[in-house]
Amino acid sequence: MKVDYRIAQLADLDTVYQFAEARLKVEIPDDMERMIQIWNSRFRKESLEHYLKLGWSFIAEDDSQNCLGYFLGQPLLFVEGHTQTLWIEDVQAQSPEISAELIEISYKLSRDKHFQKVILSPTAQVFLETKNIKHQPSLPTIWCKTTK
């Protein structure tokens, strides 16, 4: 199967959402429980609108333009002493191979655009190792919730 990778556009919102929702449906078959999970997900529609407008997210598609995976990314300026960092909010894919390709794209995109760092979820470690991309844990941080 041939897989094409391209920059995700705002027009891809429904496609990406439906892909992620279908994957979640396998994990959570109950409609009500799944809806609650979607409200707190990284792929909820407001999040997709934000990320897809920025031009730093990618989508993987087959020949029929069916979504096979995606990552949501945005640049962060002046984080931990680095001028430019690419934050990867979410990576989902139909297969581990597509996940690895998407993660490699985020890395290569950052290198190409002279970013100093890419921040990924710890679950990306196995895919980074598959692609032989050097990585290290980030500095420990703490966070404070500012809403109730």
Side-chain angles (χ1 to χ4, degrees):
M1 168 178 55
K2 184 175 180 261
V3 180
D4 291 316
Y5 299 89
R6 64 173 176 81
I7 296 172
Q9 307 288 316
L10 190 54
D12 298 314
L13 188 145
D14 289 332
T15 302
V16 170
Y17 182 84
Q18 289 166 4
F19 173 80
E21 183 182 36
R23 288 175 49 82
L24 191 59
K25 192 172 195 171
V26 172
E27 289 178 40
I28 306 173
D30 181 72
D31 290 339
M32 191 58 86
E33 287 182 39
R34 189 173 57 258
M35 187 55 65
I36 291 169
Q37 184 67 31
I38 287 171
W39 289 336
N40 295 313
S41 73
R42 295 175 182 222
F43 68 85
R44 65 185 184 272
K45 289 196 176 185
E46 312 86 74
S47 177
L48 292 176
E49 287 173 4
H50 168 75
Y51 282 100
L52 297 179
K53 286 179 186 176
L54 298 177
W56 293 92
S57 301
F58 269 71
I59 188 169
E61 297 175 318
D62 64 14
D63 290 336
S64 301
Q65 296 184 326
N66 295 311
C67 181
L68 303 175
Y70 67 88
F71 76 75
L72 303 176
Q74 72 176 329
L76 302 176
L77 303 178
F78 305 107
V79 174
E80 293 182 336
H82 297 280
T83 307
Q84 295 175 316
T85 299
L86 184 61
W87 167 262
I88 303 300
E89 176 69 15
D90 191 23
V91 179
Q92 291 198 43
Q94 184 177 350
S95 70
E97 294 79 17
I98 294 171
S99 290
E101 289 295 321
L102 286 165
I103 288 168
E104 184 178 37
I105 288 168
S106 74
Y107 173 76
K108 287 181 174 180
L109 175 67
S110 297
R111 285 185 58 93
D112 188 51
K113 299 298 181 186
H114 307 289
F115 280 33
Q116 289 81 35
K117 183 162 68 172
V118 179
I119 299 176
L120 298 154
S121 163
T123 59
Q125 181 173 343
V126 69
F127 303 113
L128 292 167
E129 290 168 355
T130 299
K131 292 295 187 174
N132 202 26
I133 298 172
K134 293 179 184 175
H135 56 280
Q136 61 189 21
S138 187
L139 296 172
T141 59
I142 61 170
W143 62 274
C144 303
K145 191 170 185 173
T146 59
T147 60
K148 292 184 180 185

